[in-house]
Amino acid sequence: MAEAERGAESSWVTGGCQCGRVRYRAEAVAGRTGYCHCRKCQRAFGNVFAVLTSVRRESLEWRGGEPTYFASSPLARRGFCGACGTPLTFEYPGSDVVEVAVGSMDDPGVVRPASHSGIESQVAWLVLDDGLPRRRTEDDPAYRARLSALQADGGVASGRGD
C-alpha cells in the first residue's frame, strides 16, 4: 500500500489480539484498506489473503503490551502478539503509516476494502468479483521505492521483499 496522504479523512480505530495482552488505538486513513494476496501475507495470516488498513504511525498507541516483531524480509516487519500469535501489523520501517490487520480491530466493519494487492499470488479458486482495483506487488510505488533503495545500499540483489 502506498504512503498516507496528509489531509485525507480519517477515523479512530481500536483493537488488539485474541488473548487481550496487546491493545491499540490509532487514526485510520480513510480509503486505505485493502486485501493483500502476497505469499508473505498468506503465510503470516495462515489464510489465502490478509485484509489491512492504514493507520497513521504518529497516532498509533499501544496499550498494555506491545507486539513482538518479525522481519519478514529486508524491507518490512510484521507485528504479532507474542503470547497468542494474533497477526497485528505490517510495516515498512520509516513509513508514516502502519498497516493494521482488520481482523484485529474491535469493529472490523468500520473500514471497507478499496483495492487488492499482491495479486500475483492470488489463489486461482478464490473469486472476489468486487470490481476493486488490483495490482501486483512489484507495481506498488512504496514497495518499488524501498526495494530500489535497498538494492542501492547492497541490501538485496533482487526479488520479493514484502
Side-chain angles (χ1 to χ4, degrees), residues 48-86:
V48 295
F49 60 83
V51 183
L52 301 160
T53 195
S54 296
V55 300
R56 297 184 193 287
R57 180 183 298 278
E58 64 196 21
S59 76
L60 181 57
E61 301 170 9
W62 294 108
R63 298 172 171 192
E66 291 198 14
T68 300
Y69 291 97
F70 172 69
S72 57
S73 78
L75 296 178
R77 71 180 189 164
R78 295 168 186 274
F80 61 95
C81 175
C84 69
T86 300

Short mmCIF file of all heavy atoms in Angstrom, two decimals, residues 48-86:
data_model
loop_
_atom_site.label_atom_id
_atom_site.label_comp_id
_atom_site.label_asym_id
_atom_site.label_seq_id
_atom_site.Cartn_x
_atom_site.Cartn_y
_atom_site.Cartn_z
N VAL A 48 -5.55 -17.32 2.76
CA VAL A 48 -5.21 -17.06 1.37
C VAL A 48 -5.09 -15.57 1.06
O VAL A 48 -4.68 -15.20 -0.04
CB VAL A 48 -6.20 -17.74 0.39
CG1 VAL A 48 -6.09 -19.26 0.52
CG2 VAL A 48 -7.61 -17.27 0.62
N PHE A 49 -5.42 -14.70 2.02
CA PHE A 49 -5.17 -13.26 1.89
C PHE A 49 -5.26 -12.64 3.28
O PHE A 49 -5.74 -13.25 4.23
CB PHE A 49 -6.16 -12.57 0.93
CG PHE A 49 -7.60 -12.67 1.32
CD1 PHE A 49 -8.16 -11.79 2.24
CD2 PHE A 49 -8.42 -13.62 0.73
CE1 PHE A 49 -9.50 -11.88 2.59
CE2 PHE A 49 -9.76 -13.70 1.07
CZ PHE A 49 -10.30 -12.84 2.00
N ALA A 50 -4.78 -11.42 3.36
CA ALA A 50 -4.91 -10.61 4.57
C ALA A 50 -5.72 -9.38 4.20
O ALA A 50 -5.74 -8.97 3.04
CB ALA A 50 -3.53 -10.17 5.06
N VAL A 51 -6.39 -8.79 5.18
CA VAL A 51 -7.06 -7.51 4.98
C VAL A 51 -6.40 -6.54 5.96
O VAL A 51 -6.36 -6.80 7.17
CB VAL A 51 -8.58 -7.58 5.21
CG1 VAL A 51 -9.21 -6.23 4.90
CG2 VAL A 51 -9.20 -8.66 4.35
N LEU A 52 -5.85 -5.46 5.41
CA LEU A 52 -5.09 -4.50 6.20
C LEU A 52 -5.63 -3.09 5.98
O LEU A 52 -6.08 -2.77 4.88
CB LEU A 52 -3.62 -4.54 5.78
CG LEU A 52 -2.93 -5.90 5.96
CD1 LEU A 52 -1.68 -5.99 5.10
CD2 LEU A 52 -2.58 -6.12 7.41
N THR A 53 -5.55 -2.26 7.02
CA THR A 53 -5.93 -0.86 6.88
C THR A 53 -4.79 0.02 7.37
O THR A 53 -4.10 -0.33 8.33
CB THR A 53 -7.25 -0.55 7.62
OG1 THR A 53 -7.75 0.71 7.17
CG2 THR A 53 -7.09 -0.52 9.13
N SER A 54 -4.58 1.12 6.70
CA SER A 54 -3.51 2.04 7.07
C SER A 54 -3.91 2.91 8.25
O SER A 54 -5.00 3.48 8.26
CB SER A 54 -3.17 2.98 5.89
OG SER A 54 -2.66 2.25 4.80
N VAL A 55 -3.00 3.00 9.22
CA VAL A 55 -3.17 3.93 10.33
C VAL A 55 -1.94 4.83 10.38
O VAL A 55 -0.86 4.45 9.95
CB VAL A 55 -3.38 3.21 11.70
CG1 VAL A 55 -4.61 2.33 11.66
CG2 VAL A 55 -2.15 2.43 12.12
N ARG A 56 -2.14 6.04 10.87
CA ARG A 56 -1.03 6.99 10.96
C ARG A 56 -0.09 6.54 12.07
O ARG A 56 -0.50 6.39 13.22
CB ARG A 56 -1.56 8.39 11.23
CG ARG A 56 -2.43 8.90 10.10
CD ARG A 56 -2.88 10.34 10.35
NE ARG A 56 -3.93 10.72 9.44
CZ ARG A 56 -3.78 10.98 8.15
NH1 ARG A 56 -2.60 10.89 7.60
NH2 ARG A 56 -4.81 11.32 7.41
N ARG A 57 1.18 6.33 11.72
CA ARG A 57 2.17 5.87 12.69
C ARG A 57 2.21 6.77 13.92
O ARG A 57 2.26 6.30 15.05
CB ARG A 57 3.56 5.81 12.06
CG ARG A 57 4.64 5.33 13.03
CD ARG A 57 6.02 5.33 12.42
NE ARG A 57 6.13 4.46 11.28
CZ ARG A 57 6.35 3.15 11.34
NH1 ARG A 57 6.44 2.54 12.51
NH2 ARG A 57 6.47 2.44 10.25
N GLU A 58 2.16 8.09 13.70
CA GLU A 58 2.26 9.03 14.81
C GLU A 58 1.09 8.91 15.78
O GLU A 58 1.19 9.31 16.94
CB GLU A 58 2.36 10.46 14.30
CG GLU A 58 1.13 10.90 13.54
CD GLU A 58 1.32 12.14 12.69
OE1 GLU A 58 2.47 12.47 12.34
OE2 GLU A 58 0.31 12.78 12.38
N SER A 59 -0.02 8.34 15.34
CA SER A 59 -1.20 8.22 16.21
C SER A 59 -1.29 6.85 16.90
O SER A 59 -2.09 6.69 17.81
CB SER A 59 -2.48 8.44 15.40
OG SER A 59 -2.77 7.30 14.59
N LEU A 60 -0.51 5.89 16.45
CA LEU A 60 -0.63 4.52 16.95
C LEU A 60 -0.15 4.44 18.41
O LEU A 60 1.00 4.73 18.71
CB LEU A 60 0.18 3.56 16.09
CG LEU A 60 0.16 2.08 16.44
CD1 LEU A 60 -1.27 1.53 16.47
CD2 LEU A 60 1.01 1.31 15.47
N GLU A 61 -1.07 4.07 19.28
CA GLU A 61 -0.78 3.93 20.71
C GLU A 61 -0.96 2.47 21.09
O GLU A 61 -2.05 1.91 20.90
CB GLU A 61 -1.75 4.76 21.55
CG GLU A 61 -1.75 6.23 21.26
CD GLU A 61 -2.92 6.95 21.95
OE1 GLU A 61 -3.61 6.33 22.79
OE2 GLU A 61 -3.13 8.12 21.63
N TRP A 62 0.08 1.87 21.64
CA TRP A 62 -0.03 0.51 22.16
C TRP A 62 -0.45 0.59 23.61
O TRP A 62 0.12 1.36 24.38
CB TRP A 62 1.29 -0.24 22.01
CG TRP A 62 1.65 -0.44 20.58
CD1 TRP A 62 2.63 0.20 19.89
CD2 TRP A 62 1.01 -1.30 19.65
NE1 TRP A 62 2.64 -0.23 18.59
CE2 TRP A 62 1.66 -1.15 18.41
CE3 TRP A 62 -0.05 -2.21 19.74
CZ2 TRP A 62 1.28 -1.87 17.27
CZ3 TRP A 62 -0.42 -2.91 18.62
CH2 TRP A 62 0.24 -2.74 17.40
N ARG A 63 -1.43 -0.18 23.98
CA ARG A 63 -1.96 -0.17 25.34
C ARG A 63 -1.80 -1.57 25.91
O ARG A 63 -2.14 -2.55 25.25
CB ARG A 63 -3.43 0.24 25.33
CG ARG A 63 -3.56 1.65 24.78
CD ARG A 63 -4.98 2.04 24.57
NE ARG A 63 -5.01 3.47 24.25
CZ ARG A 63 -6.10 4.18 24.23
NH1 ARG A 63 -7.25 3.63 24.53
NH2 ARG A 63 -6.04 5.46 23.94
N GLY A 64 -1.32 -1.65 27.11
CA GLY A 64 -0.99 -2.96 27.67
C GLY A 64 0.36 -3.35 27.11
O GLY A 64 1.30 -2.56 27.12
N GLY A 65 0.47 -4.54 26.58
CA GLY A 65 1.72 -4.98 25.99
C GLY A 65 1.91 -4.44 24.58
O GLY A 65 0.98 -3.90 23.98
N GLU A 66 3.11 -4.57 24.08
CA GLU A 66 3.40 -4.20 22.70
C GLU A 66 3.60 -5.47 21.89
O GLU A 66 3.91 -6.52 22.45
CB GLU A 66 4.65 -3.31 22.64
CG GLU A 66 4.41 -1.95 23.25
CD GLU A 66 5.44 -0.92 22.82
OE1 GLU A 66 6.19 -1.18 21.86
OE2 GLU A 66 5.46 0.14 23.45
N PRO A 67 3.47 -5.36 20.58
CA PRO A 67 3.65 -6.57 19.77
C PRO A 67 5.10 -7.03 19.74
O PRO A 67 6.02 -6.26 20.02
CB PRO A 67 3.19 -6.14 18.37
CG PRO A 67 3.13 -4.67 18.38
CD PRO A 67 3.08 -4.21 19.79
N THR A 68 5.26 -8.28 19.38
CA THR A 68 6.55 -8.85 19.04
C THR A 68 6.69 -8.66 17.53
O THR A 68 5.69 -8.73 16.81
CB THR A 68 6.58 -10.35 19.40
OG1 THR A 68 6.36 -10.46 20.81
CG2 THR A 68 7.88 -11.00 19.01
N TYR A 69 7.90 -8.41 17.05
CA TYR A 69 8.09 -8.16 15.62
C TYR A 69 8.93 -9.24 14.97
O TYR A 69 9.85 -9.79 15.58
CB TYR A 69 8.73 -6.80 15.39
CG TYR A 69 7.81 -5.66 15.74
CD1 TYR A 69 7.88 -5.04 16.99
CD2 TYR A 69 6.85 -5.22 14.84
CE1 TYR A 69 7.02 -4.00 17.32
CE2 TYR A 69 5.98 -4.19 15.17
CZ TYR A 69 6.07 -3.59 16.40
OH TYR A 69 5.21 -2.57 16.73
N PHE A 70 8.61 -9.50 13.72
CA PHE A 70 9.36 -10.43 12.88
C PHE A 70 9.71 -9.70 11.58
O PHE A 70 8.81 -9.17 10.92
CB PHE A 70 8.51 -11.67 12.58
CG PHE A 70 9.12 -12.59 11.56
CD1 PHE A 70 10.26 -13.31 11.86
CD2 PHE A 70 8.57 -12.72 10.30
CE1 PHE A 70 10.83 -14.16 10.93
CE2 PHE A 70 9.13 -13.56 9.35
CZ PHE A 70 10.27 -14.29 9.68
N ALA A 71 10.98 -9.65 11.24
CA ALA A 71 11.40 -9.06 9.96
C ALA A 71 11.12 -10.09 8.88
O ALA A 71 11.89 -11.03 8.70
CB ALA A 71 12.87 -8.68 10.00
N SER A 72 10.01 -9.92 8.16
CA SER A 72 9.61 -10.90 7.16
C SER A 72 10.42 -10.77 5.88
O SER A 72 10.33 -11.62 5.00
CB SER A 72 8.12 -10.78 6.85
OG SER A 72 7.78 -9.48 6.43
N SER A 73 11.21 -9.71 5.77
CA SER A 73 12.10 -9.50 4.63
C SER A 73 13.05 -8.37 5.01
O SER A 73 12.87 -7.73 6.05
CB SER A 73 11.30 -9.11 3.39
OG SER A 73 10.91 -7.75 3.45
N PRO A 74 14.02 -8.06 4.15
CA PRO A 74 14.88 -6.91 4.43
C PRO A 74 14.12 -5.57 4.34
O PRO A 74 14.61 -4.56 4.79
CB PRO A 74 15.94 -6.98 3.33
CG PRO A 74 15.92 -8.37 2.83
CD PRO A 74 14.50 -8.85 3.01
N LEU A 75 12.91 -5.59 3.79
CA LEU A 75 12.14 -4.37 3.59
C LEU A 75 11.08 -4.11 4.65
O LEU A 75 10.66 -2.98 4.82
CB LEU A 75 11.42 -4.41 2.23
CG LEU A 75 12.26 -4.46 0.98
CD1 LEU A 75 11.37 -4.54 -0.24
CD2 LEU A 75 13.17 -3.26 0.91
N ALA A 76 10.57 -5.15 5.28
CA ALA A 76 9.38 -4.98 6.11
C ALA A 76 9.43 -5.84 7.36
O ALA A 76 10.19 -6.81 7.44
CB ALA A 76 8.14 -5.35 5.30
N ARG A 77 8.58 -5.45 8.31
CA ARG A 77 8.42 -6.27 9.51
C ARG A 77 6.94 -6.40 9.82
O ARG A 77 6.11 -5.60 9.37
CB ARG A 77 9.19 -5.69 10.70
CG ARG A 77 8.61 -4.42 11.26
CD ARG A 77 9.45 -3.94 12.44
NE ARG A 77 8.79 -2.84 13.12
CZ ARG A 77 9.10 -2.40 14.31
NH1 ARG A 77 10.10 -2.96 14.98
NH2 ARG A 77 8.45 -1.40 14.85
N ARG A 78 6.62 -7.43 10.60
CA ARG A 78 5.25 -7.74 10.96
C ARG A 78 5.16 -7.86 12.47
O ARG A 78 6.01 -8.47 13.10
CB ARG A 78 4.80 -9.05 10.31
CG ARG A 78 4.75 -8.92 8.79
CD ARG A 78 4.60 -10.29 8.12
NE ARG A 78 4.72 -10.14 6.68
CZ ARG A 78 3.71 -9.83 5.88
NH1 ARG A 78 2.51 -9.63 6.36
NH2 ARG A 78 3.90 -9.72 4.58
N GLY A 79 4.10 -7.24 13.03
CA GLY A 79 3.87 -7.32 14.46
C GLY A 79 2.80 -8.34 14.79
O GLY A 79 1.81 -8.47 14.06
N PHE A 80 2.99 -9.04 15.88
CA PHE A 80 2.02 -10.05 16.32
C PHE A 80 2.10 -10.15 17.83
O PHE A 80 3.06 -9.70 18.45
CB PHE A 80 2.29 -11.40 15.66
CG PHE A 80 3.65 -11.96 16.00
CD1 PHE A 80 3.80 -12.87 17.04
CD2 PHE A 80 4.78 -11.57 15.30
CE1 PHE A 80 5.04 -13.38 17.37
CE2 PHE A 80 6.04 -12.07 15.63
CZ PHE A 80 6.17 -12.99 16.66
N CYS A 81 1.09 -10.74 18.43
CA CYS A 81 1.11 -10.96 19.87
C CYS A 81 2.05 -12.12 20.16
O CYS A 81 1.86 -13.22 19.63
CB CYS A 81 -0.28 -11.26 20.41
SG CYS A 81 -0.26 -11.67 22.18
N GLY A 82 3.03 -11.88 21.01
CA GLY A 82 3.98 -12.92 21.37
C GLY A 82 3.36 -14.01 22.24
O GLY A 82 3.93 -15.09 22.35
N ALA A 83 2.21 -13.73 22.84
CA ALA A 83 1.55 -14.73 23.69
C ALA A 83 0.60 -15.62 22.91
O ALA A 83 0.65 -16.85 23.02
CB ALA A 83 0.80 -14.03 24.83
N CYS A 84 -0.30 -15.04 22.10
CA CYS A 84 -1.31 -15.84 21.41
C CYS A 84 -1.07 -15.96 19.91
O CYS A 84 -1.73 -16.75 19.24
CB CYS A 84 -2.71 -15.31 21.68
SG CYS A 84 -3.08 -13.70 20.94
N GLY A 85 -0.16 -15.15 19.35
CA GLY A 85 0.18 -15.26 17.93
C GLY A 85 -0.68 -14.47 16.97
O GLY A 85 -0.47 -14.53 15.76
N THR A 86 -1.65 -13.70 17.47
CA THR A 86 -2.52 -12.94 16.58
C THR A 86 -1.72 -11.98 15.70
O THR A 86 -0.95 -11.17 16.22
CB THR A 86 -3.54 -12.11 17.40
OG1 THR A 86 -4.33 -13.00 18.19
CG2 THR A 86 -4.45 -11.28 16.49
#
